[in-house]
Amino acid sequence: MRIGIIGTGNIGTTLIRKLTRAGHAVQMANSRGPETLGELAEETGAQAVTAPEAAQGVDVVILSIPLNRLSRMKALLAQLPDGVVVADTSNYYPHRDGNIPALDRGDQTESEWVSQQIGHPVIKAWNNVLAGTFADKGLPPGAEGRIALSVAGDNPAAKQTVLSLVEDTGFDAIDGGSLAESWRQQPGTPGYCTDLTADELRRALAAADRSHAPQVRDEVIRQVAARDFKVTNEDIVRLNLSVLSRIT
């Protein structure tokens, strides 16, 4: 497929590496301009372009930028053909994004809010994995202990496209239900950044408690900030599991 990736942070860069390696044609863009992506273009074969160009002539657009910047994408995405799939990897962290009342009250899931902001339906994917896990822990299909990621959305065909792409990045893809159910893979839930297998993730999604998730999310952030040493990927997985077990 032809894929446009907007955002070249840790998750976006890993998506570029993994999807080009899987044989997809990738157009990539960031806020600093294509001239800053020369090394990544040379490494991966992805084409460095502007953000508007990244959304042209593609089958899928993946947005991998902070949630508080997504509203800037509305004009860019407004002209997309109906058949283009838009995937969103963002998560809501009030200390970083600023408080968003609709999300703080639970009126909308994060990706319902994102869909409204950008004026286009989204599929929520690649949001419930740590950057280190995503970069280093992908395995071939059928491998023992392969970590699973959940994918949520309302359009079955679009969701199936993204499920397939998740598999291409080295993880088992689990159907996480509709966007209304996508809170089950948001920060603070048992399926968020806990490195689970497919069966474990299905159980975690089913067991999620929406009322506790913001408290778990914020407590994990507080404990990470309080540590006076470099926190590893494994530290954060353990911390998520520890806080979840104590609060829920």
Side-chain angles (χ1 to χ4, degrees):
M1 285 185 284
R2 295 192 64 181
I3 301 170
I5 298 177
I6 302 176
T8 56
N10 290 330
I11 296 295
T13 296
T14 299
L15 279 165
I16 292 160
R17 289 185 171 125
K18 287 176 175 284
L19 292 174
T20 52
R21 197 177 303 141
H24 300 287
V26 173
Q27 301 170 182
M28 59 180 176
N30 62 17
S31 60
R32 300 180 302 280
E35 64 277 4
T36 66
L37 296 171
E39 288 187 11
L40 188 59
E42 184 174 356
E43 173 196 339
T44 63
Q47 183 181 7
V49 296
T50 65
E53 289 169 338
Q56 293 176 4
V58 295
D59 304 300
V60 179
V61 175
I62 302 174
L63 301 175
S64 191
I65 60 179
L67 184 144
N68 64 355
R69 299 180 189 172
L70 282 167
S71 61
R72 304 175 190 178
M73 297 291 106
K74 187 168 187 175
L76 184 154
L77 301 175
Q79 304 304 316
L80 283 180
D82 290 341
V84 175
V85 177
V86 177
D88 165 40
T89 76
S90 67
N91 292 298
Y92 176 47
Y93 282 98
H95 74 284
R96 177 195 66 191
D97 300 318
N99 287 99
I100 299 172
L103 300 184
D104 292 335
R105 294 191 302 263
D107 296 345
Q108 295 174 298
T109 65
E110 293 171 7
S111 285
E112 286 176 324
W113 184 86
V114 168
S115 294
Q116 183 181 71
Q117 296 303 301
I118 68 172
H120 196 288
V122 301
I123 304 296
K124 190 175 186 73
W126 296 290
N127 77 294
N128 65 320
V129 63
L130 291 166
T133 295
F134 191 40
D136 300 330
K137 295 189 177 182
L139 293 171
E144 183 178 357
R146 196 183 197 217
I147 293 169
L149 305 182
S150 50
V151 176
D154 296 331
N155 181 306
K159 187 193 294 186
Q160 188 56 53
T161 294
V162 177
L163 285 163
S164 175
L165 291 175
V166 168
E167 294 279 347
D168 287 346
T169 61
F171 298 85
D172 283 340
I174 300 302
D175 189 333
S178 67
L179 276 194
E181 290 293 302
S182 64
W183 63 267
R184 295 180 182 277
Q185 64 191 69
Q186 290 178 181
T189 60
Y192 181 79
C193 296
T194 46
D195 288 7
L196 305 178
T197 64
D199 287 342
E200 291 168 339
L201 181 56
R202 290 187 183 96
R203 290 193 292 270
L205 293 174
D209 183 337
R210 193 172 188 176
S211 65
H212 290 302
Q215 184 183 359
V216 173
R217 175 199 66 200
D218 294 346
E219 178 62 14
V220 170
I221 290 296
R222 188 194 68 78
Q223 291 197 33
V224 169
R227 298 192 178 198
D228 59 358
F229 55 87
K230 182 177 175 60
V231 178
T232 67
N233 192 85
E234 285 67 30
D235 289 334
I236 297 176
V237 170
R238 286 193 293 269
L239 186 56
N240 275 315
L241 292 168
S242 173
V243 173
L244 277 162
S245 67
R246 181 164 54 82
I247 292 179
T248 62

